[in-house]
């Protein structure tokens, strides 16, 4: 608790207020006057903040700030108990990883539209081609984008964007261009819809951006896509199939007796089972296929350019591999099987994502009612 406050004489208080408001009086003089105004008499006990400060001994701005605090604060005793630490950037703080500066030398494109919004595209290898052709480093599945639409090059330590004679044009901040130097933060539009933000970041910032994108699209336990991202991808894939007159296969998968696994071996063992199943499913798919965990023990797979029979053959291969999968939790082997239902876009009446998934879902439950560990595609 702070010591007793000595009353200030009205004349001294008036003089203190007048001087504190005057712009022509330096800080040391102000402190001296305030000090005199609050100086206790010889009969008063010493103040709890220690010996009176001598304004003449104040030699730096940090000393002055401390003096002002001690002269005016009602928490002077608490201030004396506060540990003195080195300011950020000082020698004592040199080992703090948060203060280490990294070179900002990693050019990236940040996707700003559609289901891939937030995706980070590295420009470590240049030139970087942008377009619909499978060999392009930035592959854009959009009918409004040319096969080789534009490219980014490095010239004289500067980044340049060049249009490659595209039909729908390349834009920077809304203006169509043939060739233009890139500045940090500019917005690039390719064709009618695809847009990116160009920026240069440090390695740590790039890692953080990638983690943010992954956390928004991936299931935390299995690393597969989450339900929200999968639903968006289904819409995009069906639009692609319509443009190119392709079929789309759909496989719905459920882990058999999963509740029994949790009840018998514990939820930690259940997590181990889900991880192993997810890895086994994912490594047997093509790059263009999309797999997600859409529920507790349910998975969904979208197959570009494959009909129902092709989806059935894949699902049967997945089922066989899962049945033979060696899974153990705390050294205890756990037998796991799956049931699957298959459908194709060509089977639906309205070509909608809902119809496609509903057919596969109904067939999956047919497989479970028929005894599990099987695939139903009709």
């Amino acid at each position: 608790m702070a010591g007793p406050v000595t009353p200030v004489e009205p004349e001294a208080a008036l003089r203190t207020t007048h001087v504190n408001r005057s712009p022509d009086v330096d800080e040391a003089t102000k402190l001296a006057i305030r000090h005199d105004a609050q100086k206790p008499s010889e009969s008063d006990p010493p103040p709890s903040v220690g010996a009176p400060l001598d304004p003449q001994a104040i030699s730096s701005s940090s000393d002055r700030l401390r003096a002002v605090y001690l002269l005016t604060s009602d928490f002077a005793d608490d201030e004396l108990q506060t540990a003195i630490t080195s300011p950020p950037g000082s020698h004592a703080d040199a080992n703090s990883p948060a203060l280490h500066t990294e070179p900002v030398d990693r050019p990236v494109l940040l996707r700003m539209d559609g289901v891939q919004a937030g995706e980070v595209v590295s420009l470590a290898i240049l030139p970087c081609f942008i377009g619909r052709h499978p060999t392009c480093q930035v592959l854009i599945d959009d009918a409004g984008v040319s096969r080789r639409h534009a490219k980014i090059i490095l010239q004289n330590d500067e980044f340049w964007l060049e249009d490659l004679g595209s039909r729908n044009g390349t834009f920077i901040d809304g203006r169509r261009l043939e060739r233009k130097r890139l500045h940090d933060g500019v917005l690039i539009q390719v064709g009618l819809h695809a847009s990116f933000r160009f920026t240069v970041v440090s390695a740590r910032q790039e890692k953080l951006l990638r983690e943010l994108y992954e956390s928004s699209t991936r299931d935390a336990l299995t690393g597969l896509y989450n339900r929200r991202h999968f639903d968006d991808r289904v819409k995009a894939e069906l639009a692609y199939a319509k443009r190119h007159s392709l079929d789309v296969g759909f496989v719905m998968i459920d882990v058999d007796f999963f509740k029994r696994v949790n009840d018998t071996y514990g939820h930690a063992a259940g997590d181990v089972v889900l991880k192993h199943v997810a890895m086994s499913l994912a490594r047997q798919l093509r790059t263009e296929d999309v797999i997600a965990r859409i529920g507790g023990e349910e998975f969904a797979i979208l197959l570009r350019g494959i009909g129902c029979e092709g989806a059935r053959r894949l699902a049967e291969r997945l089922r066989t591999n899962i049945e033979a999968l060696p899974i153990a939790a705390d050294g205890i082997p756990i037998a796991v099987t799956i049931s699957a239902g298959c459908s194709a876009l060509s089977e639906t009446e309205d070509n909608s994502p809902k119809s496609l998934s509903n057919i596969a879902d109904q067939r999956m439950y047919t497989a479970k009612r028929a005894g599990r560990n099987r695939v139903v595609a009709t």
Side-chain angles (χ1 to χ4, degrees):
M1 182 180 296
V5 178
T6 304
V8 179
E9 293 295 329
E11 182 179 352
L14 181 62
R15 176 161 44 89
T16 302
T17 302
H18 174 74
V19 170
N20 282 340
R21 291 178 179 176
S22 174
D24 298 322
V25 180
D26 65 77
E27 209 51 36
T29 304
K30 292 179 183 180
L31 290 174
I33 294 173
R34 294 172 69 191
H35 170 72
D36 291 337
Q38 296 185 5
K39 184 184 295 182
S41 66
E42 294 181 1
S43 60
D44 290 329
S48 62
V49 296
L53 287 168
D54 180 8
Q56 302 301 321
I58 297 174
S59 60
S60 68
S61 59
S62 60
D63 290 334
R64 289 183 182 181
L65 289 173
R66 179 175 176 273
V68 169
Y69 187 88
L70 289 177
L71 285 170
T72 60
S73 175
D74 290 334
F75 305 98
D77 281 345
D78 293 338
E79 173 67 11
L80 293 178
Q81 302 300 321
T82 302
I84 298 176
T85 61
S86 301
S90 66
H91 176 72
D93 212 34
N95 293 325
S96 173
L99 294 174
H100 286 174
T101 58
E102 290 183 307
V104 181
D105 58 359
R106 302 170 81 96
V108 297
L109 293 177
L110 302 179
R111 189 73 184 260
M112 304 295 288
D113 70 288
V115 298
Q116 294 172 294
E119 184 179 18
V120 182
V121 181
S122 173
L123 298 177
I125 300 177
L126 295 173
C128 175
F129 287 90
I130 303 171
R132 286 191 296 113
H133 196 276
T135 60
C136 290
Q137 290 90 333
V138 182
L139 183 60
I140 303 175
D141 181 18
D142 188 327
V145 174
S146 299
R147 292 172 66 81
R148 284 185 177 269
H149 195 106
K151 69 176 180 179
I152 296 175
I153 64 172
L154 182 65
Q155 182 176 333
N156 297 327
D157 294 327
E158 294 177 334
F159 298 98
W160 292 79
L161 176 65
E162 295 182 0
D163 184 82
L164 299 178
S166 65
R167 173 174 296 181
N168 292 315
T170 303
F171 304 79
I172 286 185
D173 292 335
R175 295 184 178 182
R176 189 162 183 166
L177 61 91
E178 298 297 327
R179 187 175 190 269
K180 189 173 179 62
R181 185 161 65 93
L182 294 175
H183 299 278
D184 190 14
V186 298
L187 185 66
I188 300 171
Q189 181 178 326
V190 180
L192 303 177
H193 307 292
S195 59
F196 301 85
R197 179 174 177 262
F198 171 80
T199 186
V200 183
V201 296
S202 67
R204 183 181 179 189
Q205 289 170 329
E206 182 180 353
K207 181 174 181 291
L208 177 60
L209 288 170
R210 293 187 184 280
E211 289 174 350
L212 288 173
Y213 175 70
E214 290 296 313
S215 67
S216 69
T217 61
R218 298 283 181 176
D219 170 61
L221 177 64
T222 63
L224 303 181
Y225 286 124
N226 58 32
R227 177 65 179 262
R228 179 181 177 182
H229 184 74
F230 182 77
D231 289 343
D232 288 339
R233 289 292 299 271
V234 170
K235 295 175 185 176
E237 284 295 322
L238 296 195
Y240 178 90
K242 181 179 180 180
R243 290 197 303 270
H244 297 277
S245 300
L246 295 175
D247 207 351
V248 178
F250 196 101
V251 181
M252 189 78 77
I253 295 172
D254 185 85
V255 179
D256 297 329
F257 300 113
F258 185 72
K259 184 178 183 300
R260 183 185 300 174
V261 172
N262 280 334
D263 293 343
T264 304
Y265 305 103
H267 288 277
D271 289 347
V272 171
V273 168
L274 292 176
K275 290 179 182 179
H276 278 77
V277 169
M279 286 189 294
S280 178
L281 296 175
R283 65 170 167 249
Q284 298 177 69
L285 302 179
R286 304 169 301 171
T287 303
E288 61 267 34
D289 298 333
V290 184
I291 180 171
R293 180 188 177 199
I294 60 172
E297 67 271 23
E298 288 190 351
F299 302 87
I301 302 173
L302 198 65
L303 305 166
R304 177 184 291 184
I306 292 181
C308 192
E309 176 57 25
R312 186 199 66 78
R313 288 197 299 267
L314 171 67
E316 185 61 37
R317 187 166 66 250
L318 297 175
R319 184 200 64 78
T320 302
N321 288 338
I322 293 295
E323 186 178 22
L325 195 64
I327 301 178
D330 294 330
I332 302 174
I334 302 176
V336 177
T337 61
I338 60 173
S339 298
C342 306
S343 65
L345 186 62
S346 56
E347 296 181 300
T348 65
E349 296 181 357
D350 57 1
N351 293 333
S352 69
K354 183 176 181 181
S355 296
L356 182 65
S357 63
N358 281 348
I359 294 173
D361 192 56
Q362 292 168 7
R363 290 172 176 173
M364 180 192 72
Y365 279 103
T366 299
K368 296 181 79 68
R369 288 193 296 269
R372 294 180 170 83
N373 190 23
R374 65 194 63 214
V375 175
V376 173
T378 56

